[in-house]
Amino acid sequence: MAQTTPPDLTQAATPTAPGSGTATEQPVLFQVTKRDGRVVEFEPARIQRAVEAAFRAEYCDKSNTPLTDDQFGAIQRIAASVIEAASSQDQSGAVLEVEGVQDLVEENLMRGGEFSVAKRFIVYREERSRARRLRMESQQNTSSLQVTTASGSAEPVNTHLVKRRIYEACHGLPQCKPNELLQDLYANMYNGISTAELEKAMVMIARQRIEREPAYNKVATRLVLNIADREALGEVPARADRDALVRERFEDALKAGVGHELLDPELLNYDLVKLAAALKPERDETFTYLGAQTVYDRYLLHIEGRRIETPQFFFMRVAMGLAIQENKAEREDWAIRFYGLLSTFRFVSATPTLFNSGTMHPQLSSCYLTTVDDDLHHIFKAIGDNAALSKWAGGLGNDWTRVRATGAHIKGTNGTSQGVIPFLKIVSDTAVAVNQGGKRKGAICSYLESWHLDIEEFLELRKNTGDDRRRTHDMHTANWIPDLFMKRVAENGMWTLFSPNEVPELHDLYGTAFEEKYTEYENKARAGELRQHRTVEAVSLWRKMLSMVFETGHPWMTFKDPSNLRSPQDHAGVVHNSNLCTETLLNTSNNETAVCNLGSVNLRMHTTPEGLDKELVEDTVATAVRMLDNVIDINYYPTDEAKNANTRHRPVGMGIMGFQDSLYKQKLAYTSDAALEFADRSMEAVSYFAINASSDLAAERGQYSTFKGSLWSKGVLPIDSLELMAEERGEYFVVDRTQTLDWDSLRNKVV
């Protein structure tokens, strides 16, 4: 690449023109005074380098062509003239200064007829001069600035400390320019700036450069970690001292957490020396800026705003919380294994687990699913339960299908119902009023089956127009769609809407049984035996569903029949809804609030350019399943219904993350057939190893209480339940059912 600007003549240089290099072959023995007053030997090579750079800036940058022989000849002649003139001045007794030498360059460029090149050189000199003035002004201003400490006292800015932090943050990153960061920082400082604001300013000046140079991501990350270190360790140690200090202060952090009633005192009964020795502080370097900032903002425990954890303290604390009920002779070993998965990002527990593990209220489960009864007392109990569950960071899914439709008769008052919508407005407002422990927004999704008479108004809940009293801007919504509706759409048929108080069986039926009962109610409606019903074109309703998804992103499309036909717990109840992420399918009732206990395998950490490392996946999944199973026994349950469901059925959910990164490692396009094949094979592996690990746990701890009668007990694994779907859907079911692992032996093992 052509050099675009001439270098400073005070910088070392060598001649670059091919050929004779006549201007600089013989040393010229005299001295030049630099701008800071230092006297150094005059080096002719710098003159030729400066002249050549000016020529390149003028002739090469625009056309992207090399210099010609004639131009190189001109460079050598002009450089020789400058050196001769400088030598003459020296011999006359004049004091040679850098600025005077640069004046000679300008003069000889113009004498040689290179006016456009001379202009380039003049502009460059002015830009450098302006930059020097700004730097000097900022340094002069900074020297008189004071910072406000946490105690409120004012102190002079410790420029040495600031410089050390910036330079250490840039360590090993030659693309990053610490001096430029310092200049930006000084330009943005003001008198009385707090130490906390100064630290944030350091992060911001690095962050704003990430788009231009990705290496600044690491600089910003290190500066965020410095803030965590200062708060948790009491100082920002030098890089060489950090590992030892992190291990030394680990016990202090736990004692502080216990002393302020944040952490379970049982954590202090671990072998803390052994756990501290197992910490890997260098793993903080694996964070990106966004990850480090998020962990600092949301996950590290704090006392009145001061973090008491570094990221590695945090991972070990979570691991200790998850191992707290393990056999005491082994729990340090299990905690270290759990820590190994978390701190290397091979497996990431769900946010509530990361928030609350090891604390006085270890609510570790991710989401809670409830069914709301058609009863005023139960409706407001469900809303109250939402508040209690949300307080401890649980996401919520509510099934509202049983609540009667607008205009339905109320026997007790002899009045008419206002339907589901007004209650959903209260649910939405509850999500705002009771957020997730003050750490993130409340998250609720309400579900309604597609035959409910209020479905059309339900579709519009997230619109920004209309009566705002019938809008839910802070709540998610989802359609719970039976297969029969999709068949009617495909066949261009009609669809009948009902009020659930007149068709109570439909809520708990699915598959063929639902279709038969639904058709029976349609016949009753046509015969005038039902008080409320309305018939619409299935395609028209479907189009409205799609248009609302395009307009508002809601309601989501979720499907009732496959959720139930493939449910391993079909003998224990009906799946009426999912959660706000739609990955959890568990049965609910008035007595059971379904609970999902989640975590994700990071495929990126298990993929090489050659593909999936199945042995590593097996090792990760075996440990992760134990972590998830432990959640069920450790968990703090905000409601009795949640504890009842979770301890009876012991559901865990293992997902994946890092899928796109895995494709990138293999150089696979996201939409390619190879990517689809990788998705199939990787999920098959996660499923296989998770079921195998669960079976091993059953051998160690005993089977869960409702195992008998489940699909598991019949040897029907999730990969097999596709056949149940095929039987129900017939021609409407086309799915690749290829299997590549030894599922037969696993079926036998599970049974």
Side-chain angles (χ1 to χ4, degrees), residues 282-540:
E282 67 274 11
R283 289 178 181 169
D284 286 345
E285 285 283 315
T286 60
F287 276 102
T288 62
Y289 162 69
L290 184 59
Q293 189 68 62
T294 302
V295 166
Y296 175 85
D297 289 340
R298 292 192 177 187
Y299 293 94
L300 302 183
L301 287 179
H302 62 86
I303 297 172
E304 296 182 353
R306 180 182 68 83
R307 272 61 182 173
I308 62 172
E309 295 181 314
T310 70
Q312 299 308 310
F313 289 0
F314 155 67
F315 286 132
M316 185 60 84
R317 183 258 301 171
V318 173
M320 293 166 70
L322 290 172
I324 202 165
Q325 292 189 12
E326 294 280 0
N327 185 299
K328 288 194 175 183
E330 300 177 335
R331 67 178 182 177
E332 283 83 10
D333 294 331
W334 281 116
I336 291 171
R337 287 186 65 177
F338 297 165
Y339 166 78
L341 291 194
L342 294 169
S343 62
T344 57
F345 307 129
R346 285 168 57 187
F347 176 79
V348 181
S349 295
T351 288
T353 304
L354 301 178
F355 277 167
N356 300 320
S357 183
T359 67
M360 296 298 291
H361 288 90
Q363 195 301 105
L364 312 181
S365 297
S366 302
C367 294
Y368 294 83
L369 283 61
T370 62
T371 290
V372 183
D373 207 355
D374 186 31
D375 171 81
L376 192 63
H377 173 77
H378 195 265
I379 287 171
F380 280 95
K381 180 186 184 305
I383 293 173
D385 287 351
N386 280 352
L389 296 166
S390 184
K391 175 182 178 180
W392 298 107
L396 306 171
N398 296 160
D399 159 39
W400 288 87
T401 300
R402 288 197 293 195
V403 176
R404 68 191 66 194
T406 304
H409 182 248
I410 302 174
K411 183 177 180 181
T413 63
N414 198 33
T416 56
S417 171
Q418 294 189 74
V420 174
I421 305 303
F423 295 118
L424 297 183
K425 173 65 173 173
I426 299 173
V427 172
S428 179
D429 292 342
T430 302
V432 176
V434 186
N435 61 17
Q436 297 190 27
K439 297 179 179 179
R440 60 177 182 174
K441 292 181 179 179
I444 299 176
C445 184
S446 292
Y447 286 72
L448 199 70
E449 289 199 43
S450 303
W451 49 262
H452 196 289
L453 258 173
D454 287 342
I455 188 65
E456 291 181 284
E457 194 169 3
F458 180 81
L459 298 179
E460 298 180 344
L461 281 173
R462 290 295 298 260
K463 290 185 69 172
N464 290 321
T465 57
D467 186 352
D468 207 54
R469 293 170 298 180
R470 303 182 76 81
R471 296 290 181 264
T472 58
H473 303 298
D474 299 288
M475 179 191 77
H476 302 291
T477 57
N479 271 310
W480 194 238
I481 304 172
D483 277 2
L484 180 59
F485 174 74
M486 299 308 300
K487 289 180 182 178
R488 296 281 179 89
V489 171
E491 296 165 3
N492 204 28
M494 304 302 290
W495 184 248
T496 307
L497 306 177
F498 301 103
S499 180
N501 61 309
E502 294 189 274
V503 292
E505 299 95 333
L506 294 184
H507 182 246
D508 288 331
L509 296 177
Y510 53 88
T512 302
F514 174 87
E515 187 168 342
E516 292 173 351
K517 181 58 69 172
Y518 182 87
T519 304
E520 179 183 324
Y521 277 125
E522 281 188 312
N523 292 332
K524 286 186 175 182
R526 283 191 287 269
E529 298 177 23
L530 297 181
R531 181 176 179 274
Q532 282 187 290
H533 59 86
R534 184 167 73 255
T535 300
V536 298
E537 291 182 344
V539 170
S540 296

Side-chain angles (χ1 to χ4, degrees), residues 139 142-145 156-165 182 186 189:
Q139 290 172 346
T142 302
S143 63
S144 62
L145 288 181
V157 174
N158 188 336
T159 54
H160 173 73
L161 179 60
V162 170
K163 186 174 182 179
R164 193 198 88 185
R165 289 201 190 176
L182 284 168
Y186 293 150
M189 288 173 60

Side-chain angles (χ1 to χ4, degrees), residues 158-338:
N158 188 336
T159 54
H160 173 73
L161 179 60
V162 170
K163 186 174 182 179
R164 193 198 88 185
R165 289 201 190 176
I166 294 294
Y167 268 80
E168 287 205 342
C170 295
H171 175 75
L173 303 169
Q175 311 95 313
C176 300
K177 310 300 180 187
N179 283 335
E180 293 181 5
L181 291 177
L182 284 168
Q183 289 176 38
D184 286 353
L185 179 64
Y186 293 150
N188 285 280
M189 288 173 60
Y190 57 90
N191 197 39
I193 187 173
S194 70
T195 52
E197 290 170 332
L198 179 56
E199 288 176 325
K200 291 178 182 177
M202 292 184 197
V203 175
M204 293 302 294
I205 58 149
R207 191 182 78 172
Q208 69 187 10
R209 292 170 175 257
I210 293 174
E211 288 187 2
R212 288 178 288 167
E213 172 48 67
Y216 282 103
N217 191 303
K218 180 61 66 180
V219 177
T221 300
R222 289 170 175 173
L223 291 169
V224 170
L225 294 173
N226 281 349
I227 299 174
D229 281 353
R230 179 184 56 77
E231 295 182 21
L233 306 178
E235 60 183 286
V236 179
R239 292 176 62 84
D241 303 329
R242 185 173 185 270
D243 288 8
L245 188 63
V246 167
R247 296 187 179 99
E248 179 185 324
R249 300 286 167 83
F250 175 59
E251 183 174 346
D252 295 339
L254 293 177
K255 287 180 177 178
V258 171
H260 283 78
E261 299 182 346
L262 296 174
L263 295 178
D264 188 336
E266 181 62 25
L267 297 187
L268 298 180
N269 293 327
Y270 276 86
D271 183 344
L272 299 182
V273 174
K274 181 176 182 178
L275 295 184
L279 291 172
K280 304 291 184 184
E282 67 274 11
R283 289 178 181 169
D284 286 345
E285 285 283 315
T286 60
F287 276 102
T288 62
Y289 162 69
L290 184 59
Q293 189 68 62
T294 302
V295 166
Y296 175 85
D297 289 340
R298 292 192 177 187
Y299 293 94
L300 302 183
L301 287 179
H302 62 86
I303 297 172
E304 296 182 353
R306 180 182 68 83
R307 272 61 182 173
I308 62 172
E309 295 181 314
T310 70
Q312 299 308 310
F313 289 0
F314 155 67
F315 286 132
M316 185 60 84
R317 183 258 301 171
V318 173
M320 293 166 70
L322 290 172
I324 202 165
Q325 292 189 12
E326 294 280 0
N327 185 299
K328 288 194 175 183
E330 300 177 335
R331 67 178 182 177
E332 283 83 10
D333 294 331
W334 281 116
I336 291 171
R337 287 186 65 177
F338 297 165

Side-chain angles (χ1 to χ4, degrees), residues 15-33:
T16 57
S20 64
T22 56
T24 58
E25 282 182 348
Q26 300 300 322
V28 180
L29 302 178
F30 56 87
Q31 295 180 317
V32 63
T33 304

